[in-house]
Each structure stands twice: as C-alpha cells, then as structure tokens.
Amino acid sequence: MSAPSPTSGDLAWVLTPLLELPGVQHAVVATGDGLVEGASPGLDRASGERVAAMTATLHAAARAFTTAFTNAEAPQLAQTVVESDLGFAVVVPAGRNTTLALFAEPGAKLGDIAYQMQVQVTALTRAMHAPTRQSDTAARP
C-alpha cells in the first residue's frame, strides 16, 4: 500500500517518496524561520506549524551545540536526529533557508531514510534553482 500524497504547500511533492518509506509517519518542508512549505496529510495545520517552528528551533540549537563543542562560528549541519521511545525525528538542511523534517517509528531503517532525504534535498534544490519557464505565448513576437 502506498502512502497518501502530501496535500499542503507548494513544495509538498518532495515528501511523497519519503512518506512511502517503511516506518515514516509524517514529513514537513519548512522555511528556516519555521513556516510550513509542505506537510504530509496526516498532520493537521496546527501540528504542521508546530513541527515547522520546532524544526527551525532544533536546527538552531544543534548549530549552537556544535559551536559550543568546537568553537566553530558557523558549522554546516548535515542532519539532526532525535531518538525517543516513540521513534526518530530527523531534520536536514534542504537548500538556502529550507529544511526537510520527518518522523519515523522506532523500527525504521535510518540509513534508507537518510539516503532518500538526501535524494529529495537534491531534487528540491534543483527545482528551487531552475530558471522560470516562459509560456509559448510569451515567447512569440
């Protein structure tokens, strides 16, 4: 059985392959300042907004935590993972001012999830940097 398609936000298409992975329950594309750009259908609006806001906070805290250990001014995070008895929250940077976050159940294969997240980040980065297409009518003299 395949996961339902994401329904919220312009960038929700990037979530579909992640939601099809075994054990992945929810996913969100968020701005660096904590706004929802896309969310899985299982999250209501309020939950999606809370996740997006916490994603920004978690990522900022992870950077500060790394700086505290290393004295590096601006560490570049590859991913932030929080493990609990309920599962894993994984956050990855997805281009400039964007993050991709998901929640997976305890038995989920994190290696597969991390790989697919990077595939989706690459697709998202390409889509965000693609030149705007002009319609056929705009190109005609």
Side-chain angles (χ1 to χ4, degrees), residues 93-110:
R96 189 175 181 176
N97 197 37
T98 306
T99 57
L100 181 57
L102 63 73
F103 191 82
E105 62 191 33
K109 294 182 179 180
L110 288 182

Side-chain angles (χ1 to χ4, degrees), residues 7-101:
T7 58
S8 154
D10 291 338
L11 299 178
W13 60 268
V14 79
L15 303 177
T16 300
L18 297 170
L19 294 168
E20 292 173 348
L21 293 172
V24 174
Q25 297 176 346
H26 301 292
V28 171
V29 178
T31 65
D33 53 355
L35 300 176
V36 178
E37 290 287 331
S40 56
L43 286 177
D44 61 36
R45 183 181 177 99
S47 295
E49 289 174 354
R50 278 195 313 272
V51 168
M54 293 309 299
T55 295
T57 303
L58 179 63
H59 221 53
R63 270 194 298 280
F65 190 66
T66 302
T67 296
F69 272 118
T70 65
N71 291 322
E73 286 298 317
Q76 299 297 310
L77 299 178
Q79 67 180 0
T80 303
V81 179
V82 176
E83 181 179 0
S84 73
D85 62 329
L86 301 175
F88 300 94
V90 183
V91 181
V92 298
R96 189 175 181 176
N97 197 37
T98 306
T99 57
L100 181 57

